[in-house]
Amino acid sequence: MAQFRFRDLAWCTCTHSGAIMESMGANSNKDWWRDATVYQIYPRSFADANGDGIGDIPGIDSRVEYLASLGIDAVWLSPFYPSQLADGGYDVDNYRDVDHRLGSLTDFDRLVAHLHDAGLRIVIDIVPNHTGSNHPWFRQALAEGPGSPARDRYIFRDPVGPPPGAPPSDWQSIFGGPAWEQVADGQYYLHYYAKEQPDLNWANPEVRADFVTTLRFWADRGVDGFRIDVAHGLTKDLSADPLPSQAEIDRIGPGPDHPMWDRDEVHEIYAEWRAVFNSYDPPRSGIGEVWAATAGRRARYATPAGLGQAFNFDLLYAPFEAAAFRSTVERNLAQAALSGSTSTWVLSNHDVVRHPTRYSQPQLADPDRVREQAQAWIASGGRVPHAEPALGAARARAATLFMLALPGAAYLYQGEELGLPEVIDIAPQHRQDPAFFRSAGKEIGRDGARVPLPWTRSGPSFGFGPGISHIPQPDWYAEMSVEAQAGEPASSLAMYRQALKLRHLLSEGEDLTWLDPPDDAATHFRRSPTWSCVTNFASHPVPRPPGRLLMASGPLAGREEIPPATTLWLAG
Ligand code: BGC
């Protein structure tokens, strides 16, 4: 894959004073999460202190200064709990400990203290829909057999015929293959994800009580907020006999009539959690990973009586087009208003193809196909002739500056500040994602977004750690490393740092006003009398509106025009 080199660019966008940047620290009020920039760390791939090839908590601790230098407000740690790693740590075997390969509770406490000292908050992932299959509860459920209280913590069912011994329904796991797994005594258990991730029974009071204990355990250690995995999935109604088929539940869609997704009762859980969050000073924050059918249904998770905020992934799925970006923002600001929360914006995370790679694809009229298209490109080994990595990189920077000018919270994913594209050519023996294995390689999976970060130009794992990394890194990581970009004003890293600091400085309230764009293929919005954001989504230059240039996402050819795939922040 042809790589883009920062050194080849001769543009500098820095127009603000260092003194301004010095004056900014973390947002100190209890509503910090409303407009925070949160940086997601996938711990196993961030930094490895002990050289075993797996990123760890001391590794993150050693990079606190770097994290603070980005200008973010908080870090969100994906799971770091004991796990057999059937799904990258989202198969948790003990919710109140640190995986010994990643460190100890003492290391965790030290990290929290160092982040707080640096003015950063910490959000952790809670995975309540399922445990790992090595969790003591699940082992006990297997040992104690049908009808036991231990089985009632999960969703076990007898086989249903015909034919004799068949699973209770034809439901499919999200990672491929059946969602029911049979155990030695003949019963089946439900696992909507991998078979190592048995779904919990949230009608069981012991399950509910235990998660409250877990929330308090971490909140007492100083954790500032929680990201709730599969937040829409906890409460289930499997009382129908026979159970509806997969085709029927697909037709019903998430909502009160779906047996698993976005049922009304789930909010009782979050009301209880809110009381826990609010019993702390300052209250702990919550953000749900919610997939709901309508804006109104998603908004229910984000109310002050519930989790407080819910992820919206619409920008991530939007094609790089003015109309799509604008309508996505309009729709989501209206949705946020329904709940009294703010919107959240995401372009990349550990589950999706990194945005420079997505944007290197030709645009499609149907936004739902954007992911499929990137997936097809990855599956082909990157050999699709029309993929344009340099264009993808330019669009990614433009989309990032667009996103960072929006009101609400922005969620960044580790490595996006380096402009990292997806690593497409991971050999099958190095793949880890259950989606790859459960689909016999048809689904390439998410490993390409989870390759350990490059910190230096050289070394056995480009500074990730003293040893080699748990997923091999490509050679071109050297020139995308933090070391290669440090001090380069045209680098992606410099753009993120500058944008995050200006965002802190310029953000005023939660309003956004659309201005007449200079072209149909552009958007222009104002956040304050002194800050507007104009993006050219086209492949041709468009006229530049008046206003002093604060920063740009790419090189400018002159003062009159905005080049293709470029965002400008203007004073005025
Ligand atoms: C996480 C995924 C994970 C799944 C199952 C998702 O929300 O983001 O990475 O595979 O939940 O826990």
Side-chain angles (χ1 to χ4, degrees):
M1 177 175 167
Q3 282 308 308
F4 167 82
R5 290 170 59 90
F6 299 102
R7 289 156 164 248
D8 299 340
L9 293 178
W11 49 277
C12 172
T13 57
C14 212
T15 59
H16 58 286
S17 83
I20 289 170
M21 321 222 324
E22 294 290 297
S23 71
M24 286 173 303
N27 186 338
S28 59
N29 65 55
K30 70 180 175 49
D31 289 334
W32 64 272
W33 49 270
R34 290 185 74 85
D35 62 352
T37 313
V38 183
Y39 180 93
Q40 182 190 356
I41 292 181
Y42 187 74
R44 289 173 178 78
S45 295
F46 186 72
D48 171 21
N50 66 5
D52 64 357
I54 301 172
D56 44 39
I57 302 283
I60 301 171
D61 203 7
S62 72
R63 304 289 177 181
V64 168
E65 203 180 318
Y66 171 81
L67 292 166
S69 80
L70 293 175
I72 54 172
D73 300 295
V75 297
W76 148 31
L77 298 193
S78 278
F80 47 82
Y81 313 106
S83 164
Q84 62 185 303
L85 297 183
D87 181 20
Y90 284 88
D91 45 324
V92 179
D93 291 332
N94 180 349
Y95 290 87
R96 302 196 278 272
D97 201 358
V98 173
D99 190 314
H100 70 268
R101 290 163 291 188
L102 273 67
S104 62
L105 282 169
T106 309
D107 294 327
F108 183 86
D109 291 343
R110 200 176 296 126
L111 173 64
V112 173
H114 289 161
L115 288 169
H116 285 167
D117 287 349
L120 300 176
R121 291 189 166 77
I122 173 166
V123 172
I124 63 168
D125 229 304
I126 293 290
V127 188
N129 181 65
H130 41 263
T131 68
S133 57
N134 278 343
H135 190 288
W137 276 0
F138 194 68
R139 288 167 174 266
Q140 196 186 353
L142 293 185
E144 294 189 7
S148 64
R151 278 216 176 168
D152 188 56
R153 297 190 191 112
Y154 294 91
I155 302 176
F156 277 86
R157 290 287 181 279
D158 289 327
V160 174
S169 70
D170 66 346
W171 296 350
Q172 293 295 296
S173 143
I174 203 162
F175 294 143
W180 293 99
E181 181 74 12
Q182 196 164 29
V183 301
D185 53 51
Q187 278 205 317
Y188 284 88
Y189 68 88
L190 180 71
H191 61 91
Y192 190 72
Y193 292 88
K195 70 176 170 37
E196 296 84 358
Q197 294 167 297
D199 281 48
L200 282 165
N201 172 18
W202 275 84
N204 182 313
E206 208 188 333
V207 170
R208 293 196 181 212
D210 195 71
F211 272 88
V212 167
T213 306
T214 292
L215 294 174
R216 288 202 177 280
F217 177 87
W218 295 108
D220 288 345
R221 300 189 104 88
V223 160
D224 300 282
F226 300 94
R227 179 261 188 192
I228 316 306
D229 192 62
V230 196
H232 54 292
L234 312 197
T235 52
K236 299 185 171 74
D237 179 2
L238 271 63
S239 58
D241 186 13
L243 286 171
S245 66
Q246 181 71 46
E248 279 170 279
I249 64 174
D250 287 347
R251 190 173 33 75
I252 294 168
D257 300 325
H258 193 284
M260 293 186 285
W261 299 144
D262 189 28
R263 297 183 56 79
D264 290 337
E265 314 86 81
V266 78
H267 297 289
E268 292 163 20
I269 297 168
Y270 300 133
E272 190 182 355
W273 289 17
R274 174 47 58 189
V276 175
F277 297 165
N278 287 356
S279 69
Y280 288 86
D281 182 20
R284 300 321 192 219
S285 68
I287 177 161
E289 184 211 20
V290 177
W291 297 93
T294 64
R297 297 289 302 182
R298 183 160 74 207
R300 290 159 57 115
Y301 294 79
T303 62
L307 290 175
Q309 213 173 35
F311 271 116
N312 108 61
F313 300 112
D314 297 357
L315 203 56
L316 191 160
Y317 285 109
F320 187 78
E321 288 170 3
F325 267 50
R326 178 170 171 161
S327 64
T328 299
V329 171
E330 285 172 335
R331 193 170 64 248
N332 281 291
L333 292 181
Q335 287 173 17
L338 285 175
S339 61
S341 186
T342 51
S343 191
T344 57
W345 308 106
V346 186
L347 289 171
S348 278
N349 66 29
H350 67 300
D351 285 334
V352 299
V353 172
R354 284 183 178 274
H355 62 291
T357 301
R358 293 201 312 271
Y359 294 145
S360 66
Q361 303 299 299
Q363 294 299 292
L364 289 168
D366 177 1
D368 288 342
R369 291 207 47 225
V370 171
R371 191 177 183 192
E372 271 174 44
Q373 193 178 34
Q375 188 82 33
W377 180 50
I378 290 170
S380 78
R383 283 184 294 274
V384 174
H386 50 234
E388 297 178 70
L391 177 62
R395 285 172 169 168
R397 291 194 304 273
T400 296
L401 273 202
F402 177 100
M403 174 177 86
L404 291 176
L406 295 172
Y411 280 74
L412 307 177
Y413 177 53
Q414 68 178 39
E416 73 166 85
E417 75 278 20
L418 305 177
L420 292 183
E422 190 87 354
V423 179
I424 52 175
D425 46 1
I426 300 172
Q429 69 270 26
H430 295 302
R431 295 250 169 218
Q432 299 179 3
D433 191 341
F436 178 76
F437 299 107
R438 290 186 65 89
S439 68
K442 225 172 99 214
E443 284 280 333
I444 205 83
R446 301 160 293 178
D447 299 315
R450 301 174 178 186
V451 176
L453 291 193
W455 293 90
T456 56
R457 279 204 175 90
S458 54
S461 53
F462 300 111
F464 167 67
I468 56 164
S469 63
H470 68 106
I471 305 178
Q473 301 155 302
D475 290 344
W476 48 263
Y477 256 33
E479 286 310 311
M480 302 201 82
S481 63
V482 175
E483 182 186 32
Q485 298 194 34
E488 292 282 346
S491 67
S492 177
L493 181 58
M495 185 196 85
Y496 270 77
R497 284 185 167 141
Q498 184 183 7
L500 291 171
K501 285 168 180 157
L502 276 180
R503 174 179 153 93
H504 265 286
L505 183 71
L506 298 171
S507 280
E508 246 178 55
E510 294 174 357
D511 294 336
L512 175 155
T513 310
W514 294 100
L515 304 174
D516 283 340
D519 187 280
D520 283 351
T523 57
H524 192 186
F525 61 85
R526 181 185 293 294
R527 283 297 309 287
S528 77
T530 54
W531 186 22
S532 76
C533 172
V534 56
T535 302
N536 177 11
F537 290 84
S539 50
H540 55 265
V542 304
R544 175 169 148 186
R548 185 169 60 84
L549 181 69
L550 295 170
M551 66 180 296
S553 66
L556 303 179
R559 301 186 67 81
E560 306 297 321
E561 289 183 336
I562 312 174
T566 301
T567 293
L568 309 182
W569 284 5
L570 301 172

